[in-house]
């Protein structure tokens, strides 16, 4: 339901900003990231870009290589610096949180002021991630094989 809200809210284009543990997403929702027709493919088919801060894992290598077709800007930081286990997505006056640890629970908050604050925090985190890891932009045509520091 949360992913459906993102698609319905941003259909036709827009950007989501997320902090995520990709392996936990994949484990909780099989095929979410890796499979054709998963959420990522659905997002892309609606022209929705994603700017994400993630901890490095082997699955991230695939996302880095496929970032152009996945409409993905990705900041990859070492897992010891970013021991994050859940998923937060910020989009068009909304803020969603999904617990990916033991329980799978989520909430969407719709509030322009919370959205603006969360986007400001994300922007600050993105700037910090540039210094702690590696950033790969969807428009960058380099091979994307460099691993985070």
């Amino acid at each position: 339901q949360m992913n459906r809200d993102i698609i319905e809210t941003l259909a036709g284009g827009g950007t989501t900003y997320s902090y995520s543990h990709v392996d936990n997403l994949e484990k909780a929702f099989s095929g979410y990231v890796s499979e054709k027709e998963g959420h990522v493919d659905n997002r892309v088919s609606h022209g929705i870009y994603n700017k994400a801060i993630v901890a490095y894992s082997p699955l991230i290598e695939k996302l880095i290589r496929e970032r152009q077709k996945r409409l993905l800007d990705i900041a990859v930081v070492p897992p010891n610096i970013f021991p994050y286990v859940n998923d937060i997505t910020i989009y068009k006056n909304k803020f969603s949180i999904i617990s990916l640890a033991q329980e799978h629970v989520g909430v969407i908050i719709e509030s322009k002021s919370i959205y603006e604050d969360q986007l400001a925090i994300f922007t600050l985190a993105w700037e910090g991630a540039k210094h702690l890891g590696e950033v790969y932009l969807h428009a960058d045509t380099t091979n994307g094989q460099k691993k985070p520091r």
Side-chain angles (χ1 to χ4, degrees):
Q1 292 178 348
M2 297 177 84
N3 293 329
R4 186 172 355 127
D5 186 70
I6 291 170
I7 300 301
E8 290 172 359
T9 301
L10 296 175
T15 302
T16 60
Y17 305 88
S18 60
Y19 310 89
S20 193
H21 190 292
V22 175
D23 289 354
N24 284 358
L25 268 173
E26 190 69 13
K27 189 184 319 176
F29 307 105
S30 181
Y32 185 93
V33 174
S34 64
E35 289 184 13
K36 193 167 180 68
E37 308 294 323
H39 170 69
V40 173
D41 280 358
N42 193 18
R43 175 183 58 74
V44 168
S45 73
H46 286 88
I48 300 168
Y49 287 79
N50 185 31
K51 191 170 188 176
I53 301 171
V54 301
Y56 176 80
S57 75
L59 183 54
I60 296 301
E61 290 293 323
K62 178 180 180 182
L63 296 179
I64 291 168
R65 286 189 308 274
E66 298 177 351
R67 68 189 177 282
Q68 288 91 5
K69 74 177 184 179
R70 290 177 177 261
L71 305 180
L72 177 65
D73 290 348
I74 187 169
V76 183
V77 296
N80 62 321
I81 291 174
F82 191 57
Y84 196 73
V85 296
N86 297 304
D87 181 79
I88 291 178
T89 303
I90 305 157
Y91 59 104
K92 197 171 184 183
N93 295 332
K94 296 182 182 182
F95 173 70
S96 72
I97 306 167
I98 303 172
S99 169
L100 300 172
Q102 296 152 355
E103 72 283 347
H104 298 126
V105 94
V107 65
I108 298 172
I109 299 169
E110 185 169 5
S111 163
K112 184 175 183 189
S113 65
I114 291 174
Y115 164 81
E116 289 171 348
D117 283 354
Q118 291 302 315
L119 188 57
I121 293 166
F122 179 89
T123 301
L124 180 62
W126 182 267
E127 290 304 311
K130 288 180 183 178
H131 301 286
L132 297 171
E134 301 294 338
V135 173
Y136 302 90
L137 304 177
H138 75 278
D140 183 1
T141 58
T142 61
N143 67 9
Q145 298 299 310
K146 189 161 64 167
K147 290 190 178 181
R149 293 178 255 203

